[in-house]
Amino acid sequence: MKKNRTKENKKIDAKKVRAFFADGLLLTVGASMYAAGVVCFVSPAKFVPGGLTTLAMIINHLVPFLPVGMMVFLLNVPLFITSWKVFGFKFIARTLYCSAFSSVVMDLINSLSVKYPFLLYSGNEKFLSAIFGGVVMGIGLGTVFLRGGTTGGTDILARLLRLKFPHLSVGKLVMISDLAVVMLAGIVYKSIETVLFSLVVIFLSSFAVDYVITGKNHSKMLMILTHHHNEVKNDIMKTLDRGVSILKAKGGYTGEDKEMLLCVVRAHEVADIRKIVAKYDENPFIIITDSNEVLGEGFKSHKDTL
C-alpha cells in the first residue's frame, strides 16, 4: 500500500516539474514575442503601443520632468497590489517575470540593432509594420495569458475586468483598455495618422490574443433532435469518447415529448457527429453553435483558467 502511494506521489511530483518547466518556457517565449513585436515593428514606425506605457508617455509629454520609466512603474503598483489580492502570489510572480523579461528583451534588441540594423523594420510601408507588429505582439500576449501570466499594465486590468464582465474575452478587454489610452494620446499629440495605425495594431493584437487562447481549442455545441436518440448517444460516446447530455424537450406545434441530445466537441469532430446521426436518422434536427470557451473534462481545466 505504501509503495503504491510512493509511486503516485512520484508521478504527481514529476507532473508538477514538467508543468513548471512548460509554463516557464511558454512564458519566456510569449514575453519575447511581445517585446519583439513592440521594438521591431511598432516603435520604429512611431506608433503608440497602447497600455500604461502610452499613458506614461502622455504624462511625460504634459509634465516633462516625470520620466516615462518611473511613471510606468508607479501606474503598475496599484494594479500589482490588487491582482496579488485577487489572483494570488503565483499570478503576480508570473506577471513580474514576464514584465521584467520583456523589458530585458526590448533593451537587448535595441542594443543589437546598432550592429544589426536589419532587426528593426525600416521600410516605408507603415501598414505592413502595423500588421506584423499587432500579430506578433498578440501571439506573444496570448501565449502569456494562456499560461496564467500577463506583461503588466492593461493586461492585468483586462484580467481584473473579466471578473466583472465574464462574457467579454480577454482580447476584447485589452483592446477596449488600449483604445481609450490611444484616443487620449491622439488628443494630446494631435496626430490622427498615429492613432489610426495604432488602432490597426491594437485590433490585430486583440484578434491574435483571442485566437491563441480559444482558437486551438475552438469548440462547437450541438443540439440534436432525433427519434433514435439512444442509438446516437451510445455511438457518440463509444466512437468519439465524448459525453452527451439528454434534455427534456416538447414540440411547440405537436406537443410531443422528446429527448434532445446536447454535446460539445472540437470543431473538427462535428463532421463525425453528423455522420453518426445520419446512420440512424435521415431527417434529424441539428443546431450547431460556436462555443468560445469550454471548461471541464476533455477540455480546459476550470481551475487553470482562474
Side-chain angles (χ1 to χ4, degrees):
M1 193 73 177
K2 288 183 178 179
K3 287 183 179 179
N4 290 335
R5 285 181 180 177
T6 304
K7 287 181 179 179
E8 287 179 5
N9 289 334
K10 285 183 178 179
K11 286 181 180 179
I12 292 171
D13 290 340
K15 191 175 181 181
K16 285 182 178 179
V17 170
R18 285 196 298 269
F20 175 80
F21 281 107
D23 285 347
L25 176 63
L26 288 173
L27 287 172
T28 301
V29 171
S32 300
M33 288 190 70
Y34 172 75
V38 173
V39 176
C40 298
F41 298 103
V42 176
S43 293
K46 308 295 183 188
F47 298 153
V48 179
L52 293 188
T53 302
T54 299
L55 194 56
M57 291 166 61
I58 293 171
I59 295 172
N60 175 259
H61 179 77
L62 299 173
V63 190
F65 64 84
L66 293 176
V68 174
M70 184 184 75
M71 288 310 304
V72 170
F73 175 76
L74 292 175
L75 291 169
N76 263 309
V77 168
L79 290 175
F80 280 137
I81 294 172
T82 305
S83 60
W84 190 338
K85 290 180 179 179
V86 175
F87 300 118
F89 175 77
K90 190 176 180 181
F91 172 80
I92 202 67
R94 294 181 181 191
T95 296
L96 287 171
Y97 171 74
C98 291
S99 180
F101 190 81
S102 61
S103 297
V104 170
V105 173
M106 286 180 189
D107 289 341
L108 180 62
I109 294 175
N110 276 323
S111 298
L112 290 173
S113 67
V114 176
K115 188 176 182 180
Y116 306 103
F118 62 85
L119 290 174
L120 306 184
Y121 179 75
S122 57
N124 294 322
E125 290 293 333
K126 288 190 174 184
F127 195 64
L128 194 63
S129 181
I131 291 173
F132 279 92
V135 171
V136 174
M137 282 172 57
I139 293 174
L141 280 177
T143 304
V144 169
F145 290 156
L146 206 59
R147 307 311 292 191
T150 73
T151 56
T154 51
D155 305 343
I156 298 178
L157 186 60
R159 289 289 294 267
L160 291 169
L161 287 173
R162 193 154 195 259
L163 297 176
K164 194 77 174 176
F165 307 102
H167 59 285
L168 294 175
S169 67
V170 175
K172 285 186 176 66
L173 288 169
V174 171
M175 182 175 69
I176 292 169
S177 303
D178 285 343
L179 281 175
V181 176
V182 169
M183 295 306 291
L184 181 61
I187 295 171
V188 173
Y189 292 125
K190 299 178 181 177
S191 173
I192 189 66
E193 185 184 49
T194 297
V195 172
L196 292 175
F197 278 113
S198 297
L199 292 178
V200 173
V201 173
I202 291 168
F203 175 79
L204 291 174
S205 177
S206 169
F207 179 83
V209 167
D210 284 341
Y211 183 81
V212 170
I213 294 176
T214 63
K216 75 182 188 67
N217 292 317
H218 189 57
S219 305
K220 297 282 186 178
M221 182 175 72
L222 292 90
M223 291 177 281
I224 306 165
L225 276 174
T226 172
H227 293 294
H228 303 275
H229 59 273
N230 278 323
E231 294 91 335
V232 172
K233 176 199 70 173
N234 293 332
D235 205 338
I236 291 173
M237 293 170 65
K238 181 181 177 181
T239 307
L240 299 178
D241 194 27
R242 288 293 181 191
V244 181
S245 298
I246 300 176
L247 307 178
K248 293 294 181 181
K250 190 168 187 175
Y253 180 74
T254 64
E256 181 184 352
D257 291 328
K258 300 180 180 181
E259 276 76 31
M260 177 184 285
L261 301 181
L262 177 67
C263 186
V264 179
V265 297
R266 305 287 187 199
H268 67 271
E269 294 173 322
V270 171
D272 296 327
I273 297 282
R274 294 184 62 183
K275 287 177 184 177
I276 289 172
V277 177
K279 278 170 36 178
Y280 304 99
D281 196 337
E282 293 182 355
N283 191 31
F285 186 79
I286 304 174
I287 301 173
I288 304 172
T289 63
D290 288 328
S291 297
N292 290 330
E293 192 167 24
V294 182
L295 308 176
E297 189 174 348
F299 296 90
K300 290 190 293 184
S301 168
H302 173 66
K303 183 180 178 181
D304 292 342
T305 59
L306 293 175

